[in-house]
Amino acid sequence: MTKENIIRFIEQHKRQLPISKMAQLFGISRSTFYRNRKLKPLSLTSVEERIHQLVQENHFLFGYRKIHALLSRELVIGINKVARIMKHRGWNCIAKIKKISSYRSSAQSF
């Protein structure tokens, strides 16, 4: 079960059982319920759907600049709006892991 489903269930059944008991049963804190109950459901606008589609097609490798460049071919949208949407939805690119070469560090010791 996702956190959204748990919060929705607790909201629907809060008259039958105390919120603290239900939160404890589901393994979430009471504050988590209160913090997330007013969040909007994950209904996406047409722009957000297109951004999500582009991000998935590129396997989360592109950041907001590249996604904006791809999106601007289809419609007019600001780069900051793309960045805000991607940040809010958690669609940021996956950072590459920087590898430290052992050859370089051993060569410097001479």
Side-chain angles (χ1 to χ4, degrees), residues 10-72:
I10 292 174
E11 187 70 38
Q12 291 172 351
H13 295 89
K14 66 182 178 184
R15 303 260 187 245
Q16 288 90 14
L17 287 171
I19 292 172
S20 58
K21 293 286 184 187
M22 286 192 286
Q24 186 180 17
L25 286 173
F26 286 113
I28 63 170
S29 64
R30 202 178 83 225
S31 62
T32 302
F33 167 74
Y34 285 113
R35 187 180 325 114
N36 293 311
R37 72 179 180 160
K38 293 185 180 180
L39 293 178
K40 295 177 186 176
L42 292 177
S43 58
L44 302 176
T45 63
S46 60
V47 174
E48 290 175 337
E49 286 178 10
R50 184 62 185 136
I51 291 172
H52 189 248
Q53 185 180 23
L54 286 171
V55 169
Q56 283 185 329
E57 285 174 5
N58 296 298
H59 308 288
F60 292 90
L61 295 176
F62 293 162
Y64 70 93
R65 290 180 183 99
K66 185 71 172 185
I67 296 295
H68 174 260
L70 294 172
L71 195 62
S72 64

Side-chain angles (χ1 to χ4, degrees), residues 64-99:
Y64 70 93
R65 290 180 183 99
K66 185 71 172 185
I67 296 295
H68 174 260
L70 294 172
L71 195 62
S72 64
R73 295 177 185 170
E74 302 169 14
L75 54 110
V76 177
I77 187 169
I79 192 167
N80 291 333
K81 184 161 181 105
V82 173
R84 274 194 306 270
I85 289 171
M86 289 179 66
K87 182 179 179 181
H88 175 72
R89 298 292 181 176
W91 298 334
N92 299 328
C93 64
I94 300 170
K96 293 179 184 176
I97 298 172
K98 295 186 172 37
K99 296 181 182 178

